[in-house]
Every structure is written in C-alpha cells, then in structure tokens.
C-alpha cells in the first residue's frame, strides 16, 4: 500500500526559460511498504550511491544527476524503525541528494524504473507517517537529543587529507622522485599527527591510485569533512634554473588568482585545472574567509616548527581557484610543501625528521584554526 508522504514542498513556479530541459524535477514522494518512492519529471539518468558506516549507523547517499528539488523544505516528518534521519536536498547545481541514515544494512538499496526511483528500507520494520504539528515537534526534540548524544560520543572534528596526484598522474618529478609518492608519505604522517590530537581523519587515497580532482572533493563532501587539506610538492618550470626555486606556500580558495597561479595554470595547459565557472556561484564568502584563516594559521605554524631547525623559504599564503579547493563544500587549503627540483629541499622533504616538523606545523595550524 502506498501512502502519500506528508511533505510540504513549496513548488515555486519556475520560469521554464530559466531552466534547461535537463532539470529533472522531483515531482512526488511517497512511502510504500518499507519503500520510499520518488517520482521525477523525466527518466532518471545517472545515479551515484555511497554508503558510509560509522558507529553502527549507515549513511546511504543517493545523488541523482540533473535532479532538482523545486524548493528545499523539510521533507519528512515520519518515523521508521531503523531509520534515524532522512533528507532530500539540492546538493549542487547538478545533483539532487537523498540521505538516509539507517541503523540497519540493506543489501539491495534501490531500483530505477523510468521516472521512478524506489529506495528499499529495512524490511522488518513498519513505517509510521507523522504529519501533524505536535508529532513534528516531538520528532524534532527526539532528533536534537540524538544529535547531542552523538556529539558527546563522537564529537571529533573531521579532517580530510588529500595526497596530491597518484597512479598514472605522478605529479612533479625531481631526481626520479615522484610528487605522488612524497605527498602520500607526508599525508600519512599528517594523519597520524592529527589522529594523535583527537581529530577524525579521512584520506582521499591511502595508496598509489589515480583519482580525478572531482572524485577527491566528492569523497571529502560525502564524508562531511570540516576541513580539506591537499598536500602537494612543487617543481620549477621547464627551462628555469632549478636551484633558484625553493620553499613552501599555502593556497586557499578564492575567486581571485594570484599572478603566479595564473602563470602556472598556463603552464599546465589545463591538464589539472578544470573550468570552474559553474562552481563559482556556489562559493560562499564564509568558506573563503575560513579557508584564508586556515591557510594563514598553517603557514605561520609551519614556519615556527620548521625554522627551529631548518632555514625555510616562505613563499607565503596565496589565493587560487583550483578545482580541488573549489569543489569541496568545506574550507579548503592546498599546501605546496617544497620544490622537488631543488636538491637540498628534495633531500629534506624525503627525510622523516623534516616531514615530522612539517606536519606538526600543519597540525598546529589546524589546532589554531579551532581555537
Ligand atoms: Zn601537485
């Protein structure tokens, strides 16, 4: 039996001229017997799913390509044994996101039949529709209680570390040493340091694997990271004197590029950097301010830590609109740890002692950010 979900969807009258036909509007949402049924305007195309398990709670994410929620409003006031939370929202311009937090694992999650997406919920429990105001209030109270409890037990801040490059994308090369190898090594060390300090850490990759920039930020977003730290190493441009360029720099997200970034982008000829115009609209000034704060803290703490023992060339804090920074929904920085093409810097960068000081600096910067 299919019951109508008591959703308050304020269908705004969109002018069709403003939106392309590709916009696949969510037309209807209903509850069946342990099924959530979503009907769209057009046939459903690409759908991406992800399940993240944490402390017995499984978060199922369904991203529907071209999906459009006419108006993001609270969509559900219902209870289902085993389902903790259910959300539908416009994840970004291109994807409608459905999130179901469940205490039970489902083997078969969903099926698509033309315009209809069916998500299967735990088969053993019954869904209860909740649609009046008092039950809504009750639900909210219950939810906030659960949230509080969650915070006490697992209130760790989640940091995403992104080791630059990987797989067929080796990155910069210095004396036969690949950037991808070094970034992974430093990232793992940083992970240990952050975990020691009580942070929850995810890495976009933990071995030599190719990942697109989009995959990196999508990974980070799906894990609800609070901060995104991308680790890279530099190389002097072709034809430039190699021993002239050394030092580290920290980039933060901005819509304005510093001159050097513009030059570099030209140098890479669009190999690593994508068109970003569509994403520019999504960046809030909040995110930029936070990213800048993080970048400044990290830079200053790296200097403090590393300069206790080494002479270090500080290339400062810069802004850029690298895709890897742009695509994440959290404050993001990109750290160029040093030049692989510089003999002394390469030697240092590969040493455990130098790496330890460097990652302590980054971790101190993260601590400072939260203070
Ligand atoms: Zn790089």
């Amino acid at each position: 039996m299919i019951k109508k979900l008591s959703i308050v969807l304020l269908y705004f009258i969109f002018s069709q001229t403003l939106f392309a036909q590709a916009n696949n509007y969510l037309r209807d949402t209903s509850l069946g017997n342990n099924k959530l049924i979503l009907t769209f305007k057009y046939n459903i195309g690409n759908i991406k799913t992800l399940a993240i398990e944490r402390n017995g709670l499984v978060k199922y994410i369904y991203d529907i390509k071209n999906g459009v929620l006419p108006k993001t409003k609270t969509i559900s006031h219902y209870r289902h044994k085993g389902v903790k939370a259910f959300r539908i929202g416009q994840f970004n311009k291109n994807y409608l996101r459905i999130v179901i937090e469940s205490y039970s694992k489902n083997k078969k999650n969903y099926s698509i039949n033309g315009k209809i997406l069916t998500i299967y919920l735990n088969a053993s429990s019954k869904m209860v529709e909740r649609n009046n105001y008092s039950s809504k209030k009750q639900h909210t109270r219950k939810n906030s209680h659960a949230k509080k409890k969650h915070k006490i037990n697992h209130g760790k801040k989640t940091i995403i570390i992104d080791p630059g490059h990987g797989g067929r994308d080796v990155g910069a090369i210095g004396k036969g040493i690949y950037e991808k190898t070094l970034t992974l090594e430093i990232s793992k060390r940083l992970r240990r340091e952050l975990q020691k300090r009580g942070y929850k850490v995810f890495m976009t990759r933990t071995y030599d694997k190719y990942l697109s920039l989009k995959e990196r930020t999508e990974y980070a977003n799906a894990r609800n990271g609070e901060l995104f730290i991308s680790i890279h190493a530099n190389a002097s441009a072709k034809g430039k004197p190699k021993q002239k360029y050394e030092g580290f720099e920290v980039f933060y997200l901005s819509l304005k590029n510093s001159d050097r970034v513009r030059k570099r982008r030209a140098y890479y000829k669009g190999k690593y950097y994508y068109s970003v115009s569509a994403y520019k609209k999504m960046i809030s000034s909040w995110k930029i301010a936070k990213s800048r704060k993080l970048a400044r803290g990290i830079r200053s703490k790296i200097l403090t830590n590393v300069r206790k023992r080494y002479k270090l060339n500080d290339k400062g804090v810069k802004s850029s609109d690298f895709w890897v920074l742009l695509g994440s929904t959290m404050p993001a920085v990109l750290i160029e740890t040093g030049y692989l093409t510089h003999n002394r810097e390469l030697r240092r960068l590969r040493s455990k002692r130098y790496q330890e000081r460097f990652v302590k600096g980054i971790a101190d910067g993260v601590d400072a950010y939260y203070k």
Side-chain angles (χ1 to χ4, degrees):
M1 203 186 117
I2 291 170
K3 279 189 198 168
K4 258 244 158 120
L5 234 190
S6 64
I7 331 159
V8 191
L9 270 185
L10 296 179
Y11 280 76
F12 270 28
I13 302 152
F14 282 129
S15 160
Q16 279 296 329
T17 52
L18 281 173
F19 290 85
Q21 277 286 298
N23 284 355
N24 199 358
Y25 290 96
L26 177 65
R27 284 290 186 233
D28 190 41
T29 313
S30 47
L31 288 179
N33 205 2
N34 296 309
K35 283 186 261 182
L36 182 62
I37 299 158
L38 301 123
T39 311
F40 287 84
K41 190 178 178 189
Y42 306 114
N43 282 348
I44 298 157
N46 185 13
I47 174 165
K48 289 191 286 189
T49 63
L50 186 70
I52 307 159
E53 195 181 345
R54 193 190 289 179
N55 305 313
L57 185 73
V58 192
K59 199 168 170 184
Y60 295 98
I61 296 168
Y62 305 86
D63 283 339
I64 294 119
K65 182 110 197 246
N66 297 327
V68 176
L69 187 66
K71 168 75 181 154
T72 315
K73 266 276 165 196
T74 317
I75 210 162
S76 70
H77 303 294
Y78 71 92
R79 195 175 56 185
H80 180 276
K81 209 173 152 193
V83 172
K84 186 179 164 247
F86 162 57
R87 291 188 295 276
I88 298 184
Q90 197 66 46
F91 178 59
N92 63 28
K93 208 177 155 216
N94 299 320
Y95 286 95
L96 178 80
R97 171 164 284 190
I98 299 159
V99 180
I100 294 169
E101 287 179 17
S102 170
Y103 290 112
S104 55
K105 281 184 204 174
N106 302 322
K107 280 204 180 101
K108 191 173 186 243
N109 280 334
Y110 73 99
S111 69
I112 295 170
N113 187 1
K115 301 170 184 173
I116 297 164
L117 168 68
T118 306
I119 297 174
Y120 301 95
L121 303 163
N122 184 18
S124 64
S125 44
K126 207 178 166 231
M127 235 178 244
V128 182
E129 196 177 352
R130 300 173 69 96
N131 52 13
N132 59 52
Y133 182 62
S134 66
S135 65
K136 179 183 166 184
K137 240 164 95 182
Q138 205 182 328
H139 179 74
T140 312
R141 206 185 302 136
K142 218 178 134 192
N143 240 7
S144 68
H145 177 70
K147 227 183 228 166
K148 237 182 244 162
K149 220 170 116 196
H150 186 80
K151 213 168 191 179
I152 292 161
N153 294 338
H154 326 285
K156 289 180 176 179
K157 310 253 189 266
T158 303
I159 316 288
I160 312 288
I161 304 174
D162 172 49
H165 311 274
R168 63 176 189 261
D169 169 21
V170 301
I173 306 171
K175 289 199 163 171
I177 305 299
Y178 294 142
E179 180 184 349
K180 65 170 184 176
T181 315
L182 199 70
T183 57
L184 185 59
E185 218 175 278
I186 294 170
S187 295
K188 282 182 174 169
R189 224 179 268 290
L190 176 61
R191 176 174 63 181
R192 273 199 294 278
E193 185 62 36
L194 287 171
Q195 281 171 340
K196 249 192 344 206
R197 299 179 187 212
Y199 293 100
K200 189 170 183 70
V201 182
F202 288 109
M203 281 168 69
T204 52
R205 67 178 177 97
T206 52
Y207 58 98
D208 187 17
K209 174 195 179 188
Y210 176 80
L211 280 173
S212 71
L213 296 178
K214 215 174 154 213
E215 281 170 326
R216 292 168 196 269
T217 52
E218 280 175 357
Y219 173 94
N221 294 342
R223 272 148 195 85
N224 289 325
E226 284 186 35
L227 298 176
F228 184 88
I229 302 171
S230 193
I231 303 290
H232 285 254
N234 236 325
S236 59
K238 255 184 201 149
K240 291 278 168 75
K242 285 191 166 74
Q243 303 316 310
K244 213 184 135 192
Y245 296 91
E246 62 173 313
F248 83 104
E249 56 201 317
V250 184
F251 293 90
Y252 68 91
L253 170 80
S254 168
L255 299 185
K256 285 174 245 147
N257 282 318
S258 55
D259 281 352
R260 224 187 70 78
V261 174
R262 237 175 273 128
K263 269 184 221 153
R264 197 160 97 143
R265 184 181 303 251
Y267 170 68
Y268 281 121
K269 291 189 191 96
K271 192 176 168 195
Y272 299 126
Y273 308 115
Y274 294 68
S275 157
V276 293
S277 58
Y279 280 81
K280 289 195 170 176
K281 292 166 201 154
M282 290 163 48
I283 303 165
S284 67
S285 54
W286 171 87
K287 201 174 128 192
I288 293 172
K290 293 280 182 188
S291 300
R292 184 170 52 224
K293 182 186 170 193
L294 178 65
R296 284 176 176 166
I298 286 175
R299 172 197 161 243
S300 109
K301 298 295 182 186
I302 287 173
L303 284 173
T304 316
N305 275 276
V306 176
R307 279 190 176 163
K308 276 179 192 161
R309 191 168 212 110
Y310 304 88
K311 217 180 123 220
L312 177 63
N313 185 21
D314 168 29
K315 295 173 76 86
V317 163
K318 287 172 181 138
S319 58
S320 93
D321 65 353
F322 291 155
W323 173 281
V324 72
L325 300 181
L326 206 51
S328 72
T329 54
M330 66 218 73
V333 297
L334 186 151
I335 305 168
E336 290 284 5
T337 52
Y339 281 77
L340 295 178
T341 41
H342 190 279
N343 291 342
R344 188 187 55 192
E345 198 148 72
L346 175 64
R347 226 178 302 124
R348 277 176 177 184
L349 281 169
R350 296 183 68 200
S351 79
K352 188 186 165 214
R353 245 183 19 184
Y354 187 84
Q355 286 184 3
E356 284 294 345
R357 288 206 172 261
F358 204 93
V359 300
K360 275 205 174 86
I362 300 173
D364 282 354
V366 172
D367 282 346
Y369 173 87
Y370 283 116
K371 249 171 219 165

